[in-house]
Amino acid sequence: MKKVLSYILAPIAAFISVTSCVENDLPYPVVVPVIEKIEVDGALSVNIDQMNCVVNVELTEQADIRRVNVRSITFKDSLTTMSPSITGEQDLSSRKHFVLHTYADYHWNMVGEQKIERYFNVSGQVGEAVIDDVNRRVIAYVTKKTDLKKIKVLSVKLGAEGVSEYSEDLMQRTDFSDMVELYVTTHGIREAWHIFIERKDVQMEFKTLVPWTRVVWMAADGVAGENNGFCYREAGTEWWSEVPQSLIVQEGGSFTCCLDGLDPETEYECYAYSGSLQSDVRSFVTEAELQLPNAGFEVYSNAESPNFKSWYDPSGTYASEKWWDSGNVGSTAVGASGVICSPDNETFTQGATSARLNSRYVVVKFAAGNLFSGEFAGLVGTSGGKVNFGRPFTLRPRKLTLMLKYDCGKIDNVGEYPAGDPVAKGDPDRCQVFVALGDWDYKKYGGSKECPVQVNTTQKETLFNPKSEAVIAYGSYVSSETVPEWTKIEIPLEYNAVDRKPTHIIVSCAASMLGDYFTGSSSSVLWLDDMILEY
């Protein structure tokens, strides 16, 4: 009976285990300290990474990273103590170590991060200045004929906005025939910057050309102050079209654009210009425009199990082309009454069905209604199961749209929850739909070639991480309120890089966002229909 009950676990539930941080093998009760909240003055964000025992603090430009005031820290239980204390003024210019004590010692670190925008632009500049903030060097390039004793500095910022002082006003200097040493003082720390201006033979260079399906990203180096831009046309046509200047982004002599409105799978030609200079003509072909298979949730059968229905790619066979999966394999181990994902006649379109995701309490465990691109990968003894996320996909859509309804219940099951996101019974549940594009290597992320990202329900560290280095783009929709009528939802994708090509796509939907932690409402129901990728 114990083995049967273990099969009802939702496929993405996590058993919290942080043994990597512990160094005490005495047979005391296991009470893992959980940091619920940390308040830090001057912080843009505070990310509590319970898995790796790290607190990442992102600071504003103006904050003094050597004197950061940590106002308070809140733990989940009163048993937890800390040494040394990290409240009060802290120097986060280097890693700050502390220990949390329960019945064992858990070693943590607090890390400060601070991004400072830096730029240096002069008249007649070729391309963008190279700024090395580690060695504090700046190199700007100008045309071959430029007199280095008659340079005009257009803009400069090498320190934090509003709190840095400069030893010299470079806007008043014209002679850059030799290296210029500039001292920048911020919060009492004086740093020497070395500035070089050099002549460059090449004045016009097409740097980057990255076509997607309906957009192309272009970048070039020209001369600052000149009329800089791009022209394009469909291959085989006579007339060139100029990219509107409103789409051109300039930084010094470097300029970029994202040109929209192109046709899929079409060949185009383009060139960059800077004043009277013009680059060679370049050609490119836009990518295809494809949709997720069975995204209207119309094709399904009982081929996998008599207890529940599964969705398939209608272009393939039931036996080999299943694209979507859910937690039904685990939740129906005790019978068909445990179904948490099913077709439903509550549909937005003229089609027959939508997908209905219903969270429920199954015998002794909470199971969140869920649906995802991927496959159930098997059981882990009697403790849980494994799920492989992702399906092959190499295109770069700009957003996912879908039709959605949601009955939001009150949380009546609290197992665990992520650090920094405490919930209690009676709080509103939350649904979530997220989409991610990435180049995950299944050998590193544990899945299969087809579905490369494996989540093991007994290992919390395997939960999907949207900040993984393999993630190229990510977007998420979350609602803590009932959505009573069919509503169109748009989920824009934020790309970490425009020139990386994905290998797989993950789409994951849940009626209870914290179902991974056995937390949510047994009355929450999420309906989905008509998913569309927009390019």
Side-chain angles (χ1 to χ4, degrees):
M1 181 61 182
K2 291 182 179 179
K3 184 175 182 180
V4 171
L5 293 179
S6 70
Y7 291 176
I8 68 173
L9 300 179
I12 56 173
F15 175 76
I16 293 185
S17 174
V18 199
T19 56
S20 61
C21 302
V22 67
E23 58 173 42
N24 189 335
D25 295 328
L26 294 176
Y28 294 130
V30 177
V31 178
V32 178
V34 174
I35 300 175
E36 291 190 330
K37 185 177 182 181
I38 297 180
E39 295 182 325
V40 180
D41 290 340
L44 290 171
S45 66
V46 178
N47 178 46
I48 304 169
D49 186 347
Q50 186 76 24
M51 178 186 71
N52 295 307
C53 302
V54 175
V55 178
N56 292 293
V57 181
E58 183 182 1
L59 297 165
T60 64
E61 273 200 14
Q62 293 73 25
D64 185 351
I65 196 171
R66 295 171 178 81
R67 297 179 180 84
V68 178
N69 182 38
V70 180
R71 281 191 285 138
S72 65
I73 179 169
T74 305
F75 302 110
K76 179 182 176 181
D77 60 81
S78 59
L79 178 67
T80 303
T81 59
M82 172 178 55
S83 65
S85 174
I86 60 166
T87 57
E89 187 176 287
Q90 304 295 330
D91 182 354
L92 297 186
S93 60
S94 59
R95 188 175 292 259
K96 181 75 174 180
H97 176 260
F98 62 100
V99 180
L100 299 183
H101 310 275
T102 54
Y103 291 102
D105 293 343
Y106 297 79
H107 292 263
W108 280 70
N109 288 286
M110 177 176 280
V111 179
E113 301 174 358
Q114 189 174 42
K115 296 179 181 179
I116 297 177
E117 181 187 18
R118 296 183 171 94
Y119 51 79
F120 181 80
N121 297 306
V122 301
S123 60
Q125 183 172 316
V126 177
E128 187 175 0
V130 178
I131 299 179
D132 178 358
D133 58 358
V134 175
N135 297 302
R136 295 189 287 280
R137 288 166 55 92
V138 178
I139 303 177
Y141 297 96
V142 293
T143 63
K144 196 69 175 177
K145 297 179 179 180
T146 301
D147 186 344
L148 297 184
K149 293 185 177 181
K150 295 181 180 180
I151 296 294
K152 180 176 177 57
V153 178
L154 301 176
S155 61
V156 58
K157 179 176 177 293
L158 300 176
E161 183 71 38
V163 294
S164 295
E165 296 179 353
Y166 297 82
S167 60
E168 178 184 350
D169 182 3
L170 293 186
M171 307 287 281
Q172 304 302 317
R173 170 183 278 269
T174 58
D175 187 354
F176 286 84
S177 56
D178 200 356
M179 181 269 290
V180 172
E181 187 171 61
L182 177 73
Y183 290 93
V184 181
T185 303
T186 307
H187 299 299
I189 303 298
R190 191 169 185 251
E191 297 177 332
W193 283 78
H194 296 144
I195 301 171
F196 303 83
I197 295 183
E198 300 178 0
R199 297 186 183 97
K200 189 174 185 180
D201 287 329
V202 178
Q203 300 178 34
M204 174 75 253
E205 185 178 6
F206 206 127
K207 302 286 287 186
T208 304
L209 182 61
V210 183
W212 290 4
T213 298
R214 291 187 177 273
V215 303
V216 62
W217 301 81
M218 297 185 284
D221 281 350
V223 180
E226 294 286 355
N227 182 30
N228 297 323
F230 302 91
C231 290
Y232 71 101
R233 68 183 178 186
E234 186 175 334
T237 61
E238 181 178 0
W239 302 106
W240 291 96
S241 297
E242 188 169 354
V243 175
Q245 281 295 310
S246 60
L247 299 180
I248 307 296
V249 178
Q250 301 202 50
E251 179 64 37
S254 177
F255 53 102
T256 62
C257 82
C258 175
L259 176 63
D260 205 343
L262 304 180
D263 293 325
E265 298 181 283
T266 302
E267 184 178 1
Y268 290 89
E269 297 175 329
C270 63
Y271 66 85
Y273 62 85
S274 179
S276 61
L277 302 173
Q278 180 179 312
S279 73
D280 293 336
V281 174
R282 309 278 289 271
S283 63
F284 64 91
V285 178
T286 50
E287 298 178 333
E289 184 174 69
L290 299 177
Q291 294 299 326
L292 305 176
N294 203 9
F297 308 108
E298 300 293 326
V299 181
Y300 50 86
S301 80
N302 286 107
E304 184 177 10
S305 169
N307 289 331
F308 58 86
K309 291 179 170 60
S310 301
W311 280 279
Y312 294 86
D313 182 349
S315 65
T317 63
Y318 285 166
S320 63
E321 297 294 337
K322 190 173 74 164
W323 201 86
W324 298 97
D325 211 340
S326 71
N328 279 332
V329 170
S331 64
T332 61
V334 294
S337 62
V339 170
I340 57 175
C341 185
S342 60
D344 194 88
N345 59 9
E346 283 281 340
T347 179
F348 172 77
T349 66
Q350 296 178 355
T353 57
S354 61
R356 183 180 193 271
L357 286 55
N358 57 285
S359 300
R360 63 172 68 221
Y361 197 80
V362 184
V363 186
V364 296
K365 276 290 184 181
F366 175 75
N370 59 80
L371 179 71
F372 54 88
S373 59
E375 62 186 3
F376 185 76
L379 297 167
V380 182
T382 61
S383 301
K386 294 179 289 186
V387 173
N388 292 341
F389 281 123
R391 290 290 182 181
F393 198 82
T394 60
L395 302 178
R396 287 167 282 200
R398 303 180 77 180
K399 62 182 174 182
L400 173 71
T401 66
L402 67 149
M403 302 304 299
L404 175 148
K405 285 175 56 177
Y406 184 47
D407 281 349
C408 177
K410 299 293 185 182
I411 291 177
D412 52 12
N413 297 276
V414 178
E416 296 289 342
Y417 42 78
D421 188 16
V423 296
K425 286 188 177 182
D427 289 347
D429 203 357
R430 284 172 285 177
C431 69
Q432 182 182 38
V433 178
F434 76 78
V435 56
L437 295 161
D439 52 8
W440 302 276
D441 181 351
Y442 76 97
K443 295 176 183 178
K444 177 179 179 180
Y445 289 90
S448 63
K449 287 184 179 180
E450 179 86 4
C451 311
V453 183
Q454 185 168 106
V455 170
N456 185 326
T457 65
T458 67
Q459 298 175 1
K460 183 175 180 289
E461 61 269 23
T462 68
L463 292 179
F464 177 74
N465 179 12
K467 295 185 178 181
S468 162
E469 63 181 10
V471 173
I472 296 173
Y474 179 78
S476 175
Y477 167 81
V478 176
S479 178
S480 59
E481 298 178 350
T482 290
V483 183
E485 303 293 336
W486 283 108
T487 302
K488 183 177 181 179
I489 302 300
E490 295 188 352
I491 305 177
L493 280 159
E494 294 187 8
Y495 280 80
N496 298 319
V498 301
D499 57 347
R500 286 174 60 190
K501 200 173 181 69
T503 59
H504 292 79
I505 187 171
I506 297 175
V507 180
S508 179
C509 318
S512 298
M513 177 180 171
L514 298 183
D516 299 12
Y517 300 88
F518 301 113
T519 294
S521 170
S522 56
S523 61
S524 289
V525 183
L526 175 65
W527 288 269
L528 307 169
D529 207 352
D530 285 355
M531 290 189 177
I532 299 174
L533 293 173
E534 296 193 11
Y535 293 85

